[in-house]
Amino acid sequence: MIPTSRRPADHLLIGGDLPVSRMGFGAMHLTGPGMWGEHPDPEHCVRILRRAVDLGVTFIDTADAYGPGTNERIIRKALHPYPAGLVISTKGGLLRTGPGDWTGPSPYVMPLGRPEYLRQQVELSLANLGVDTIDLYQLHAIDPTVPLDEQIGVLATLQDQGKIRHIGLSGQPGITVADLDRARALAPIAAVENLYNLAERTGTVTLNHAEHHQLAFIPWFPLGHGQLAGCDSPLAPLADHFDAKPAQLALAWLLHVSHATLPIPGTTSLHHLEQNMRATDIHLTPGDLDLLTSTIDAAGLTTWAPPNEIAAHA
């Protein structure tokens, strides 16, 4: 990673031909409790999505597992027919068992990468989103019980058929450099989505690798699980110095730490959405980046990550 005192680029290219604004939107929380079922106020979700686009968001992240299916459908309700330049990224390859499987106490979500299942899920996502081609389709987690060439191979076949434009990999919690190299030997990979934020930097090696190979790096949980935002954030004492909210500082750090990052903060609050988007106006120097990093490290802050045994399986 190369820190810079210049304002970070406003856009990046996914797959070399798909320009998106650097601050995306993660739609996961526009579902019911536990990312299960419909949100209790679907019209509010519609307002959130439309406001995000009004504010300049051109990249929205979702997945078939959010709902399941309801998240993709609320995006369609809010934004279809989609404005020119809006990129919808979705994911497939996780099994859900109920509203507690991402947050406990139910068994954690599990990968399913059988080719016939992935093919079905792509078709469902096409229908849910109301599109003929999915701009970026990501394998939500690598299934260790299915050969990777079969998982990537079926997505490559669907890409050849025009149903997927670009292929990406997502991890629970992260895709490794070895995972990326194996996948890139099978098909062009345009993006990687990993758990990554100011307090959880385990994926830095993968980020550097993605940047080197001109892949988009999409940090999920860019604000931790909320621990980097709010008045109790370790960044709160620095807010006055930077004239910014803690969440804005955490997002600005991601934008500056690499030109490959594409943060996707999600929220159900219009106020927080507008605050998050203003993080793109913050300019940080290399010294500022070091200050933010050292502040978090000194606080010993840890953020949520999948259970170790699940991370090892997925």
Side-chain angles (χ1 to χ4, degrees):
M1 294 178 294
I2 305 174
T4 174
S5 59
R6 296 173 298 176
R7 179 175 177 172
D10 293 328
H11 294 79
L12 62 76
L13 288 177
I14 295 176
D17 65 355
L18 201 58
V20 295
S21 55
R22 287 288 303 284
M23 189 69 75
F25 179 77
M28 180 178 71
H29 290 292
L30 303 183
T31 53
M35 285 69 74
W36 190 263
E38 291 188 353
H39 188 277
D41 188 352
E43 291 307 315
H44 178 70
C45 297
V46 167
R47 290 191 292 271
I48 290 284
L49 288 161
R50 290 177 178 172
R51 182 59 176 152
V53 173
D54 288 343
L55 291 169
V57 167
T58 60
F59 181 86
I60 296 177
D61 176 88
T62 183
D64 62 16
Y66 304 158
T70 61
N71 201 240
E72 293 174 329
R73 292 193 289 272
I74 197 67
I75 291 171
R76 178 179 182 173
K77 178 180 179 179
L79 301 173
H80 193 278
Y82 301 111
L86 180 64
V87 172
I88 309 293
S89 170
T90 194
K91 302 180 286 289
L94 282 184
L95 288 180
R96 300 292 309 275
T97 59
D101 58 6
W102 243 314
T103 57
S106 299
Y108 193 73
V109 291
M110 299 299 290
L112 180 57
R114 294 203 307 266
E116 62 272 22
Y117 177 73
L118 293 176
R119 180 182 293 277
Q120 168 189 279
Q121 295 309 106
V122 168
E123 295 292 349
L124 287 173
S125 290
L126 287 166
N128 285 338
L129 292 169
V131 296
D132 296 322
T133 301
I134 296 168
D135 291 321
L136 175 64
Y137 191 88
Q138 300 193 82
L139 184 64
H140 210 156
I142 294 174
D143 186 344
T145 70
V146 177
L148 185 62
D149 63 342
E150 294 184 12
Q151 299 175 69
I152 299 299
V154 68
L155 299 183
T157 297
L158 291 164
Q159 185 179 45
D160 290 341
Q161 294 172 355
K163 297 182 179 184
I164 294 172
R165 182 167 180 177
H166 292 298
I167 299 170
L169 296 178
S170 180
Q172 297 281 322
I175 295 296
T176 67
V177 168
D179 293 333
L180 266 180
D181 286 345
R182 289 168 57 213
R184 292 178 65 242
L186 300 168
I189 302 298
V192 56
E193 183 168 335
N194 275 5
L195 173 62
Y196 195 77
N197 55 61
L198 185 50
E200 174 47 73
R201 305 189 299 275
T202 306
T204 297
V205 172
T206 302
L207 168 58
N208 291 340
H209 192 71
E211 180 180 296
H212 178 73
H213 291 284
Q214 299 181 330
L215 310 181
F217 184 92
I218 306 166
W220 59 267
F221 278 9
L223 298 176
H225 203 229
Q227 299 100 318
L228 293 169
C231 59
D232 57 348
S233 165
L235 299 175
L238 302 177
D240 288 342
H241 173 72
F242 287 99
D243 190 25
K245 301 294 184 182
Q248 292 172 328
L249 291 177
L251 293 171
W253 181 88
L254 283 170
L255 292 172
H256 283 75
V257 80
S258 167
H259 60 250
T261 54
L262 175 52
I264 49 169
T267 182
T268 59
S269 163
L270 285 167
H271 177 65
H272 289 161
L273 170 64
E274 292 168 356
Q275 280 190 346
N276 291 344
M277 292 302 295
R278 288 197 291 271
T280 59
D281 297 327
I282 297 173
H283 298 186
L284 299 175
T285 67
D288 294 334
L289 297 177
D290 290 341
L291 174 61
L292 296 175
T293 302
S294 62
T295 297
I296 292 298
D297 290 348
L301 180 67
T302 57
T303 63
W304 181 90
N308 287 335
E309 65 273 16
I310 299 302
H313 180 88

